[in-house]
Amino acid sequence: MTDTTTTTDTTTQAAPVEWHAVDADDRWPGRWTAHTATVHAHGRIYLIRITPGDHATYLAPGFYADIDGGYGQRWAINTPTLDEAKRRAVEDVLR
């Protein structure tokens, strides 16, 4: 599964972000899809993983974006839509 969605932030002139679709949970292949991307910013590589639901369950409404900047820098965002989760996660990293 490959997601060809790209996100471009024209205000900071960032390179487009390439999103990939993968199984969210190996225990139930094909049931839930996670969207992953890497963003190069501030001399680091940030890993973004967006799953349906919230941090506790895939069944909750909305989407959960987990952002890992390495060196113990990690945070999350809850949003109602996938597009908003992608946009806000990239904006947070570039900020």
Side-chain angles (χ1 to χ4, degrees), residues 27-82:
R27 296 174 293 180
W28 299 285
R31 187 159 183 195
W32 292 287
T33 302
H35 299 268
T36 61
T38 57
V39 178
H40 300 267
H42 316 296
R44 293 180 160 172
I45 298 173
Y46 292 82
L47 305 174
I48 302 172
R49 185 172 193 269
I50 300 173
T51 56
D54 59 21
H55 70 282
T57 177
Y58 296 127
L59 300 176
F63 291 87
Y64 178 76
D66 181 38
I67 303 147
D68 186 351
Y71 305 105
Q73 183 182 21
R74 190 172 189 157
W75 68 98
I77 304 168
N78 286 313
T79 63
T81 66
L82 177 60

Side-chain angles (χ1 to χ4, degrees), residues 3-8 16-19 86:
D3 183 0
T4 58
T5 305
T6 57
T7 305
T8 305
V17 175
E18 185 176 332
W19 291 95
K86 288 180 178 181

